[in-house]
């Protein structure tokens, strides 16, 4: 594939994300607290998470490992940011959540697999075929700023995923109003952290597939945060009125 064709594919993929965003604003994706039995066959929530997240990481690793001659150390470091996130999301997060007996629709798992396959392909193909980062890349401002933002985002994402997970005892599936820290400002600090992470990743990689991954992340997570926020307000009459969904004081 030529570089131009590859770039056009990325623009096309971003356009699809914009369409999906408009759909997700209207239709809440039915997993987690929004899970539904009206979306066909269901599978275990935990298995769903593992199956959803494993393809993206696998495809990226495949392309990087099968194109070793064009790689340099910088490429490996950039890819490792992505892999680091996905090791947690695929192999650790699903085994820590307290969602015993909970299920998600198989169709959601399949849609997420498709998304992760395409995203993983675009990132992996870029890193495997087109990436030519100079050895001095780590001293560039975009790498430093991006790496800091990614790290801060990951810290926030992990910290607030952790807080949410520990609102329940194992075996419990009830919901309570989370309080403290960023929860004083937004309903979904973990999603805010994830948006920071992939913003940082796009800045530190400075390539189109990382940007398209960010566009997809925003297209998924802003509607999800709005749905969570609406759900909280509906479920709890005493839900803090001044709390926003995902961006403090803004949205
Ligand atoms: N990159 C992407 O496109 C993308 C898309 C989606 C999610 N994610 C990431 O995946 C992670 C999970 O996201 P999510 O929206 O599915 O999860 P979430 O609603 O934030 O919940 C995380 C965990 O905490 C539990 N929980 C949440 N609120 C609770 C409450 N008030 N009381 C008790 N337990 C509560 C949830 O249980 P239940 O499952 O039973 O509700 C779940 O196990 C986040 O880190 C998010 O950033 C990324």
């Amino acid at each position: 594939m030529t570089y131009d064709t590859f770039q056009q594919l990325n623009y096309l993929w971003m356009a699809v994300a914009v369409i999906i965003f408009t759909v997700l604003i209207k239709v809440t994706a039915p997993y987690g607290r929004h899970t539904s039995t009206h979306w066909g066959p269901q599978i275990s929530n935990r298995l769903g998470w593992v199956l959803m997240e494993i393809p993206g990481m696998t495809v990226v690793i495949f392309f990087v490992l099968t194109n070793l001659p064009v790689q340099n150390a910088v490429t490996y470091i950039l890819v490792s940011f992505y892999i680091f996130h996905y090791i947690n999301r695929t192999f650790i997060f699903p085994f820590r959540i307290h969602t015993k007996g909970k299920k998600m629709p198989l169709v959601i798992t399949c849609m997420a697999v498709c998304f992760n396959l395409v995203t993983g392909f675009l990132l992996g193909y870029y890193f495997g075929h087109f990436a030519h980062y100079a050895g001095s890349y780590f001293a560039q401002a975009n790498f430093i700023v991006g790496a800091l933002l990614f790290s801060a985002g990951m810290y926030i994402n992990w910290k607030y995923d952790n807080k949410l997970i520990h609102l329940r005892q194992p075996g419990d599936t009830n919901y309570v109003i989370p309080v403290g820290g960023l929860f004083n400002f937004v309903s979904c600090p973990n999603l805010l952290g994830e948006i920071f992470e992939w913003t940082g990743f796009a800045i530190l990689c400075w390539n189109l597939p990382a940007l398209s991954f960010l566009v997809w992340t925003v297209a998924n997570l802003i509607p999800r945060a709005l749905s969570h926020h609406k759900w909280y307000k509906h479920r709890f009459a005493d839900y803090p009125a001044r709390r926003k969904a995902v961006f403090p004081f803004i949205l």
Side-chain angles (χ1 to χ4, degrees):
M1 187 185 336
T2 66
Y3 185 67
D4 282 351
T5 309
F6 178 77
Q7 296 290 84
Q8 281 160 12
L9 267 183
N10 279 284
Y11 287 122
L12 185 65
W13 189 230
M14 284 191 251
V16 176
V18 174
I19 296 168
I20 294 296
F21 174 79
T22 61
V23 172
L24 289 176
I25 286 290
K26 294 192 179 110
V27 183
T28 300
Y31 64 101
R33 76 193 67 198
H34 312 288
T35 194
S36 162
T37 52
H38 299 120
W39 287 66
Q42 297 193 304
I43 60 168
S44 131
N45 192 59
R46 182 164 289 151
L47 176 64
W49 272 106
V50 175
L51 293 178
M52 286 197 292
E53 305 296 348
I54 215 167
M57 192 171 65
T58 312
V59 173
V60 171
I61 291 173
F62 168 81
F63 276 106
V64 172
L65 292 185
T66 52
N67 293 281
L68 286 175
V70 298
Q71 308 297 329
N72 67 13
V74 178
T75 305
Y76 293 124
I77 299 287
L78 300 191
V79 170
S80 67
F81 280 88
Y82 175 88
I83 302 293
F84 192 52
H85 171 92
Y86 273 97
I87 286 175
N88 172 60
R89 183 66 72 232
T90 311
F91 299 116
I92 300 172
F93 174 80
F95 298 96
R96 297 185 65 232
I97 51 179
H98 299 154
T99 57
K100 192 166 187 283
K102 220 168 171 173
K103 293 186 183 300
M104 71 165 73
L106 184 58
V107 68
I108 287 294
T109 317
C110 294
M111 284 195 250
V113 166
C114 293
F115 156 68
N116 280 319
L117 280 176
V118 177
T119 300
F121 165 75
L122 292 174
L123 280 168
Y125 199 88
Y126 180 88
F127 285 123
H129 292 84
F130 301 125
H132 289 291
Y133 294 98
S136 58
Y137 191 74
F138 299 135
Q140 284 188 201
N142 71 297
F143 176 81
I144 296 166
V145 171
L148 288 174
L149 191 54
F150 181 94
S151 306
M154 179 174 270
Y155 173 77
I156 293 170
N157 179 255
W158 287 14
K159 175 174 174 171
Y160 287 94
D161 267 354
N162 205 35
K163 275 183 182 274
L164 287 168
I165 288 168
H166 288 103
L167 291 175
R168 289 180 184 151
Q169 297 301 316
D172 178 16
T173 51
N174 270 339
Y175 291 93
V176 296
I177 299 177
V179 289
L182 285 174
F183 284 119
N184 292 330
F185 301 95
V186 292
S187 297
C188 307
N190 55 337
L191 307 196
L192 173 66
E194 180 127 5
I195 292 171
F196 281 169
E197 264 187 272
W198 299 114
T199 305
F201 187 68
I203 293 172
L204 74 90
C205 290
W206 211 254
N207 62 39
L208 221 41
L211 178 64
S212 81
F213 188 38
L214 170 62
V215 171
W216 268 92
T217 300
V218 169
N220 271 318
L221 292 188
I222 289 189
R224 189 152 179 82
L226 292 172
S227 299
H228 284 4
H229 187 62
K230 194 171 160 195
W231 178 96
Y232 273 124
K233 290 204 288 190
H234 186 257
R235 171 102 173 205
F236 299 104
D238 56 340
Y239 197 67
R242 290 171 62 189
R243 199 178 284 190
K244 297 288 184 184
V246 62
F247 296 121
F249 312 112
I250 300 171
L251 182 71

